[in-house]
Amino acid sequence: MASAVAFGDERRSGYEFMSRESQAMQDDDAANPAMLWALDGEALWKSGAPACSSCHADMKGVAARYPAFDARLKKPVTLEQRINLCRTEKQGSAPFKYESKELLSLSAYIALQSRGLPIALAEDAATRPFIDAGKALYEKRQGQLNMSCAQCHDQYSGRKLAGSVIPQAHPTGYPLYRLEWQTLGSLERRLRGCLAGIRAQPYEYGAPELVELELYLKARARGMKLDAPAVRP
Amino acid sequence: MARALIRVPPRARRGEVIEIKALVSHIMETGFRHDQYGKSIPRDIIQLFTCSYNGAEIFRARFYPAIAANPFISFTTIATESGTLRFEWSGDNGFTASESAAITVE
């Protein structure tokens, strides 16, 4: 499962920073608790009228392309937002709440189908300004600790924060089962946790800032293999 | 949604030691935590896990509040005959879940 790293590429996914026990937990689908969500997602995918499966056949590679620019909304949308757009516009039902069991299950089921594929974010002129905005946010100092994402995850990655290794912040495994959370969570939850950690006011779920940050992180991890739904400490 | 994931080797030789894995979806709320208003969150855990092989119990485990959410159990047994392994979990608030898996012993 360890992603083959091209010569000269010093990027490492969070998987490579984990203990062997956590890696074994992720590698074995019978031990990876995230698979419980993926199974629920599969059931949800095939249920309802109309069901997701009545329009979409195969979602292979879809998660690798998100967040993606939506030409009609003129902004990028995350996979979770796309699921809810489909629900409100195509299925005529209420959107799922962020971090709800249903939304996480569906995104886990969709992400699972892109497992092992490289992150393939679009690099067109429409997406570019949003990636740049995400980069600016990533490098912006904020919060009472006056820190930027880049300070921890570029400058000090591989070193320790309390007892844990600081990873390089490549979002290859989301949604993922975090042992600390004891549940599955999205990248937005992780980002909000980091913001609270530097004592900044976290952006609301679905806020454009979080979408831009996700977009930049995915662009930064372009080409790295997805291992979703992953396990992380 | 109570859901379980079972891994049992579908085939085994007679007398072979086989590894069985069982993962179940459960929050395992300890009963020791409080919500943001200081109110105690009631305990909600699985209390008992059993596995039976063609009706005979071969493994039993009691669960306690210190066990993490979505408990994963792995154990071994000896493949004696073809048949069914049945897994059952029960706990607080009338929680029950069950799953079975077939095994062919040659």
Side-chain angles (χ1 to χ4, degrees):
Chain A
M1 181 57 97
S3 56
V5 182
F7 181 73
D9 189 349
E10 294 190 345
R11 294 180 302 174
R12 300 280 182 275
S13 109
Y15 177 87
E16 293 170 65
F17 290 102
M18 293 201 297
S19 68
R20 257 183 303 171
E21 291 79 5
S22 302
Q23 290 182 347
M25 192 176 181
Q26 173 176 325
D27 292 343
D28 181 357
D29 280 346
N32 181 349
M35 295 309 290
L36 294 166
W37 276 262
L39 277 175
D40 281 340
E42 186 179 9
L44 275 171
W45 184 261
K46 290 168 181 162
S47 69
C52 309
S53 56
S54 55
C55 284
H56 305 280
D58 186 4
M59 299 300 274
K60 190 174 179 184
V62 173
R65 295 195 295 269
Y66 270 80
F69 187 79
D70 185 299
R72 193 171 48 84
L73 297 173
K74 297 190 177 59
K75 62 173 189 178
V77 292
T78 61
L79 186 59
E80 287 87 354
Q81 288 171 330
R82 170 59 65 209
I83 292 169
N84 272 337
L85 282 169
C86 241
R87 276 185 68 76
T88 50
E89 291 173 5
K90 307 273 168 31
Q91 294 175 303
S93 35
F96 292 126
K97 281 206 179 77
Y98 281 98
E99 302 305 296
S100 63
K101 174 122 191 164
E102 291 83 359
L103 190 53
L104 288 171
S105 299
L106 275 174
S107 59
Y109 176 63
I110 295 167
L112 176 62
Q113 298 174 56
S114 297
R115 204 189 241 180
L117 296 177
I119 294 177
L121 212 71
E123 215 169 347
D124 51 17
T127 321
R128 199 68 240 175
F130 294 96
I131 297 177
D132 292 342
K135 183 172 196 287
L137 276 170
Y138 182 82
E139 289 166 353
K140 185 178 128 190
R141 281 169 176 264
Q142 50 185 327
Q144 289 178 326
L145 298 189
N146 199 29
M147 288 181 78
S148 71
C149 315
Q151 281 181 292
C152 268
H153 296 288
D154 287 348
Q155 204 178 338
Y156 292 125
S157 63
R159 290 164 75 168
K160 297 234 171 154
L161 176 65
S164 322
V165 184
I166 306 172
Q168 296 177 353
H170 295 302
T172 55
Y174 287 90
L176 54 79
Y177 190 90
R178 194 149 175 248
L179 300 175
E180 186 187 310
W181 293 335
Q182 300 262 299
T183 184
L184 204 75
S186 70
L187 178 58
E188 294 199 8
R189 178 168 179 187
R190 172 66 267 187
L191 292 174
R192 281 167 53 88
C194 260
L195 285 161
I198 55 166
R199 301 190 204 143
Q201 177 71 43
Y203 306 112
E204 290 306 316
Y205 280 108
E209 288 89 349
L210 287 181
V211 179
E212 287 162 7
L213 268 173
E214 179 169 348
L215 203 55
Y216 171 62
L217 290 178
K218 288 270 171 71
R220 191 167 155 269
R222 198 179 273 129
M224 294 179 77
K225 287 195 171 75
L226 284 176
D227 58 349
V231 173
R232 292 288 183 272
Chain B
M1 286 185 271
R3 203 175 254 286
L5 261 172
I6 303 294
R7 176 74 55 84
V8 174
R11 302 182 164 275
R13 277 175 289 108
R14 193 174 307 277
E16 188 183 341
V17 175
I18 53 168
E19 188 182 23
I20 294 163
K21 295 172 178 176
L23 175 70
V24 69
S25 167
H26 198 282
I27 57 167
M28 295 296 284
E29 183 60 55
T30 63
F32 300 125
R33 299 196 308 159
H34 296 85
D35 64 13
Q36 54 183 323
Y37 305 108
K39 214 171 127 258
S40 158
I41 305 171
R43 192 184 86 164
D44 183 7
I45 63 167
I46 296 174
Q47 292 177 14
L48 186 67
F49 166 73
T50 57
C51 173
S52 54
Y53 190 171
N54 283 344
E57 189 175 294
I58 55 161
F59 187 89
R60 160 186 288 256
R62 286 212 188 90
F63 285 14
Y64 292 95
I67 290 178
N70 307 308
F72 172 69
I73 283 221
S74 164
F75 57 96
T76 55
T77 190
I78 295 171
T80 50
E81 56 192 85
S82 296
T84 314
L85 284 136
R86 188 169 166 79
F87 305 85
E88 284 178 44
W89 295 261
S90 60
D92 293 341
N93 305 319
F95 174 82
T96 53
S98 61
E99 193 70 52
S100 27
I103 182 166
T104 310
V105 176
E106 292 144 346

